[in-house]
């Protein structure tokens, strides 16, 4: 650059003393070209200066990440996410490019920047996000990932695309909601530098949605998946049948949905998923590295099936469509071959469109099934599920049947059943109603929800230790699931009111280690989720226990409507 300015000076000097017209024009041309180069270089340097000078220093440790990562080592500088940023992913690594594109899409939504993925390398480009497949031994589980952020680059390493996807959620959370460089001519989103080492505490991190008491559309379920994936959930359990409705098309038993799908609690129209709809949900969940667990609840909770095909009924009464909220009055006839032919068809058809390893057979609250009939039935159904290559899951009552360690019990209420499951070597999914039920009211004022198990305010939902709860040995615990029963909710806004913010806390209980969990610390991070929830148009319950960050809802406003 000084050389160019020197050149320019000499050219202008020559220009002053030349008399020759031709010479003059050529010198003039030369000086214009040099001037243009100098101006361009000056503006480039200016731009560079801006990128470097205006980064606010940021502290990784002060970020509101949920679930809290295993380890964070801040280096107190900033990486500029801006229009020059690009994403590169490992070539030939299955799923990595899609994960890169997912990140680019989410960056676009949040910042309106079009970040290119795997475009031809531009020499001298600054600010690159690399998503790499790595065989580092430190990445010892499929969902483990590490992120190294410097002022020049972000390197996300994982063993599998699933690990990369979890790491991408962390990156999304690190991008500020607004750009923070007002002096630059273009906006910059500063990501704090440092190192993050992370992996989940539990491999099964789920939520259940009851689409039987009230039906929720494919779009609603997709939105729930979006929100759960952001907090690193990896399981969506769909409660697809109950007394009030049968919600999945079974081609060999068409009346299940024609008749059994026509009602829901409160007399509204109900609804059901065609197999194509279900596949769409499963595929959408898979894109978010979430497994769908289908549940057909049996032998109780089967009124809708028995109304559709009365031959299945075992309670001695003529079944009628049911729109109330009582439980425990229905049962299949456990001694009829037709019932097992029916169960076989249902399990076969659903298993064929379920890539995940699990099939949930319910088994709860079969109050009108005789004990010996219950055991006989569950034993047979467990075998059917295994025949179709799936691992059976049942509510904790399943432990009372002749099951072994190859079935899973979902602990919701009975410590006795949980102990029985442990003695059989079964794995247990922790869903204690008193702590983990998303359909429990927050307090006596809550607009929706029940309270038969407890009132569960946001702190109670977070302050418990699944690792030691009710003395269930840690080695038996597969993970945590927060069920959202839908007797009292009939649309997505009501679903969101009960699920959020509590579902965010369960993500931390299932991903983060006990040492990394602390209510006072969590409460501040939760408060900072408000801008994300608002941007996603989530009608969360603005609990007064939380000092919500600049939320468009104030607690009083919500109370008014
Ligand atoms: C109990 S928990 C049930 C469900 C209800 C729920 C309401 C369990 C396995 N069964 O049928 O919807 O309570 O909170």
């Amino acid at each position: 650059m000084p050389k160019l300015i020197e050149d320019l000076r000499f050219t202008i000097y020559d220009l002053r003393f030349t008399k020759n017209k031709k010479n003059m024009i050529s010198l003039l041309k030369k000086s214009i070209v040099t001037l243009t180069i100098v101006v361009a270089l000056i503006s480039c340097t200016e731009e560079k200066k801006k990128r470097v000078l205006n980064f606010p220093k940021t502290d990784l440790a002060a970020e509101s990440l949920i679930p809290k990562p295993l380890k964070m080592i801040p280096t107190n500088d900033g990486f500029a996410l801006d229009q020059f940023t690009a994403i590169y992913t490992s070539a030939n690594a299955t799923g990595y490019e899609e994960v890169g594109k997912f990140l680019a899409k989410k960056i676009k939504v949040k910042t309106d920047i079009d970040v290119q993925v795997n475009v031809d390398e531009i020499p001298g480009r600054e600010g690159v996000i690399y998503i790499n497949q790595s065989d580092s031994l430190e990445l010892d589980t499929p969902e483990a990932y590490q992120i190294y952020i410097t002022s020049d680059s972000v390197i996300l390493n994982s063993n599998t695309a699933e690990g990369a996807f979890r790491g991408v959620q962390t990156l999304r959370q690190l991008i500020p909601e607004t750009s923070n460089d007002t002096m630059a001519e273009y906006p910059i989103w500063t990501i704090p530098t440092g190192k993050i080492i992370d992996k989940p505490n539990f491999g099964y991190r789920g939520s259940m949605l009851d689409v039987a008491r009230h039906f929720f559309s494919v779009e609603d379920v997709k939105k729930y998946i979006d929100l759960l994936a952001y907090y690193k959930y990896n399981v969506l359990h769909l409660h697809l049948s109950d007394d009030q409705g049968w919600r999945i098309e079974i081609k060999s038993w068409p009346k299940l949905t024609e008749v059994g799908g026509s009602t829901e609690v409160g007399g509204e129209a109900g609804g059901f998923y065609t197999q194509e709809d279900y596949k769409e949900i499963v595929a959408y969940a898979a894109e978010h590295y979430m497994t769908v667990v289908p549940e057909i609840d049996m032998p109780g909770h089967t009124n809708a099936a028995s109304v559709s095909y009365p031959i299945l009924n075992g309670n001695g009464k003529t079944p009628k469509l049911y729109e109330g909220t009582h439980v425990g009055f229905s049962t299949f006839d456990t001694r009829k071959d037709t019932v097992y032919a029916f169960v076989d068809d249902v399990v076969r058809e659903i298993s064929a469109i379920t890539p995940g390893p699990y099939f949930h057979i319910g088994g709860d609250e079969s109050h009108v099934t005789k004990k010996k009939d219950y055991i006989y039935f569950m034993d047979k159904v467990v075998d059917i599920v295994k025949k179709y290559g799936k691992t059976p899951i049942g509510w904790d009552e399943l432990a009372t049947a002749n099951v072994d360690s190859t079935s899973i019990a979902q602990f919701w209420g009975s410590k006795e059943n949980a102990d029985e499951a442990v003695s059989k070597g079964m794995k247990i999914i922790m869903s204690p109603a008193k702590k983990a039920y998303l359909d429990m009211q927050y307090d006596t004022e809550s607009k929706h929800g029940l309270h038969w198990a407890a009132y569960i305010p946001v702190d109670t939902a977070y302050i418990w230790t699944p690792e030691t709860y009710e003395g269930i040995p840690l080695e038996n615990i597969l993970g945590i699931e927060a069920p959202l029963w839908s007797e009292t909710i009939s649309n997505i806004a009501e679903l969101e009111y009960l699920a959020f913010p509590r579902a965010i806390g369960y993500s931390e209980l299932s991903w983060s280690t006990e040492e990394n969990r602390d209510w006072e610390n969590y409460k501040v991070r939760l408060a900072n989720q408000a801008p994300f929830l608002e941007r996603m148009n989530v009608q969360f319950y603005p609990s007064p226990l939380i000092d919500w960050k600049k939320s468009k809802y104030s607690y009083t406003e919500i109370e008014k409507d």
Side-chain angles (χ1 to χ4, degrees):
M1 180 103 120
K3 164 108 185 33
L4 280 173
I5 295 174
E6 195 72 346
D7 276 0
L8 189 63
R9 268 185 53 204
F10 281 122
T11 322
I12 295 169
Y13 189 79
D14 288 347
L15 202 59
R16 279 172 55 197
F17 293 99
T18 185
K19 298 264 173 325
N20 177 320
K21 215 176 171 190
K22 232 173 154 191
N23 242 353
M24 209 189 252
I25 292 175
S26 129
L27 280 171
L28 214 64
K29 267 189 189 161
K30 192 175 168 201
S31 52
I32 289 170
V33 170
T34 321
L35 196 65
T36 317
I37 298 175
V38 168
V39 168
L41 278 174
I42 289 173
S43 61
C44 261
T45 327
E46 273 300 290
E47 190 159 277
K48 250 198 174 151
K49 247 194 237 153
K50 265 180 215 127
R51 298 193 77 205
V52 179
L53 289 181
N54 293 325
F55 289 2
K57 300 267 184 240
T58 51
D59 180 6
L60 183 62
E63 288 293 319
S64 287
L65 295 172
I66 302 181
K68 191 163 191 128
L70 190 60
K71 269 188 216 150
M72 287 193 279
I73 305 146
T75 52
N76 304 309
D77 205 340
F79 169 89
L81 174 71
D82 59 27
Q83 58 194 2
F84 303 106
T85 307
I87 297 173
Y88 291 95
T89 64
S90 283
N92 309 320
T94 315
Y96 276 70
E97 182 163 69
E98 287 75 7
V99 172
K101 287 185 173 156
F102 177 90
L103 175 60
K105 199 167 91 189
K106 298 300 176 187
I107 291 176
K108 172 76 180 164
V109 172
K110 190 167 186 174
T111 66
D112 205 31
I113 296 176
D114 283 301
V115 177
Q116 305 291 310
V117 181
N118 294 340
V119 282
D120 287 343
E121 185 67 68
I122 299 168
R125 182 192 277 285
E126 288 180 51
V128 174
I129 301 173
Y130 298 99
I131 306 181
N132 290 323
Q133 188 169 44
S134 153
D135 51 14
S136 160
L137 290 177
E138 282 180 47
L139 297 161
D140 54 359
T141 62
E143 293 184 284
Y145 70 90
Q146 298 190 349
I147 309 180
Y148 302 81
I149 308 165
T150 66
S151 51
D152 304 323
S153 66
V154 174
I155 302 173
L156 164 55
N157 286 335
S158 66
N159 245 315
T160 67
E162 186 182 5
F165 186 81
R166 305 294 171 227
V168 156
Q169 308 316 312
T170 303
L171 277 179
R172 289 175 66 192
Q173 295 192 11
L174 288 176
I175 301 169
E177 282 293 330
T178 48
S179 61
N180 52 9
D181 192 340
T182 47
M183 281 161 82
E185 279 143 26
Y186 53 87
I188 287 174
W189 281 258
T190 305
I191 298 179
T193 58
K195 185 172 173 180
I196 298 174
I197 299 167
D198 201 11
K199 64 177 178 183
N201 198 25
F202 290 111
Y204 186 111
R205 305 179 305 279
S207 178
M208 185 209 78
L209 181 59
D210 172 7
V211 295
R213 270 50 176 274
H214 279 100
F215 182 65
F216 291 90
S217 69
V218 173
E219 286 317 305
D220 291 343
V221 176
K222 284 185 177 174
K223 185 173 180 192
Y224 198 40
I225 290 174
D226 288 338
L227 294 165
L228 295 175
Y230 185 75
Y231 295 105
K232 300 189 176 72
Y233 275 80
N234 64 358
V235 173
L236 176 68
H237 165 185
L238 290 175
H239 183 76
L240 291 166
S241 69
D242 214 302
D243 292 320
Q244 299 86 347
W246 184 282
R247 307 295 180 210
I248 176 128
E249 174 190 26
I250 302 296
K251 294 188 196 279
S252 50
W253 297 78
K255 284 193 201 156
L256 287 171
T257 44
E258 275 166 32
V259 178
S262 65
T263 46
E264 60 182 21
V265 168
E268 287 125 301
F272 64 90
Y273 306 124
T274 62
Q275 292 201 359
E276 288 309 309
D277 290 337
Y278 178 78
K279 284 190 214 164
E280 194 179 324
I281 293 173
V282 166
Y284 193 77
E287 282 167 26
H288 294 75
Y289 289 88
M290 285 175 71
T291 299
V292 170
V293 176
E295 178 187 350
I296 297 299
D297 201 352
M298 312 173 264
H301 291 275
T302 45
N303 182 69
S306 291
V307 182
S308 312
Y309 293 100
I311 191 163
L312 303 170
N313 189 33
N315 75 2
K317 299 183 188 140
T318 306
K320 290 197 296 284
L321 287 168
Y322 183 66
E323 293 162 349
T325 59
H326 290 146
V327 296
F329 60 88
S330 58
T331 183
F332 279 156
D333 185 335
T334 61
R335 302 288 161 169
K336 252 192 216 132
D337 289 345
T338 319
V339 169
Y340 297 100
F342 166 83
V343 173
D344 194 288
D345 284 335
V346 169
V347 175
R348 174 177 52 76
E349 287 197 32
I350 297 176
S351 296
I353 51 174
T354 301
Y358 306 116
F359 196 107
H360 201 304
I361 54 176
D364 58 316
E365 302 171 319
S366 283
H367 302 321
V368 294
T369 321
K370 289 198 182 82
K371 180 100 196 144
K372 65 175 189 340
D373 292 342
Y374 177 83
I375 294 171
Y376 177 80
F377 178 85
M378 293 309 267
D379 289 354
K380 283 179 84 89
V381 174
V382 159
D383 286 344
I384 294 171
V385 167
K386 288 185 183 168
K387 183 174 101 182
Y388 289 107
K390 301 295 179 194
T391 299
I393 305 179
W395 295 105
D396 59 43
E397 293 94 325
L398 173 64
T400 64
N402 296 308
V403 283
D404 61 21
S405 62
T406 56
S407 292
I408 296 167
Q410 183 163 7
F411 171 56
W412 66 278
S414 164
K415 156 93 173 121
E416 216 182 319
N417 290 343
D419 289 344
E420 183 77 42
V422 170
S423 75
K424 289 178 170 164
M426 296 168 81
K427 289 271 187 256
I428 297 182
I429 297 165
M430 298 296 286
S431 304
K434 279 187 256 177
K435 296 287 179 188
Y437 265 29
L438 286 168
D439 67 314
M440 290 300 117
Q441 288 175 296
Y442 292 94
D443 54 34
T444 52
E445 309 280 297
S446 291
K447 288 190 288 185
H448 309 287
L450 303 168
H451 56 260
W452 64 265
Y455 289 104
I456 309 186
V458 178
D459 52 354
T460 305
Y462 182 85
I463 306 171
W464 60 289
T465 314
E467 287 90 337
T468 53
Y469 193 75
E470 293 281 25
I472 296 167
L474 185 56
E475 60 268 28
N476 288 77
I477 302 176
L478 187 62
I480 300 168
E481 191 180 285
L484 180 47
W485 301 100
S486 64
E487 285 95 332
T488 65
I489 53 171
S490 60
N491 58 50
I492 184 82
E494 294 168 0
L495 179 164
E496 290 165 358
Y497 171 91
L498 284 179
F500 295 96
R502 288 180 294 196
I504 301 174
Y506 300 128
S507 86
E508 181 145 305
L509 287 181
S510 56
W511 178 281
S512 308
T513 54
E514 198 184 336
E515 306 81 74
N516 272 332
R517 302 194 306 255
D518 170 67
W519 166 250
E520 292 301 326
N521 178 285
Y522 170 73
K523 185 172 143 167
V524 177
R525 286 179 289 124
L526 180 59
N528 288 327
Q529 304 304 306
F532 167 73
L533 296 172
E534 279 172 18
R535 189 158 54 77
M536 296 291 288
N537 191 25
V538 174
Q539 311 290 304
F540 65 97
Y541 164 63
S543 163
L545 298 174
I546 307 297
D547 185 11
W548 296 102
K549 181 178 175 182
K550 206 168 65 60
S551 162
K552 88 176 168 218
Y553 309 106
S554 75
Y555 183 62
T556 39
E557 264 169 55
I558 270 274
E559 285 304 285
K560 271 190 251 142
D561 53 52

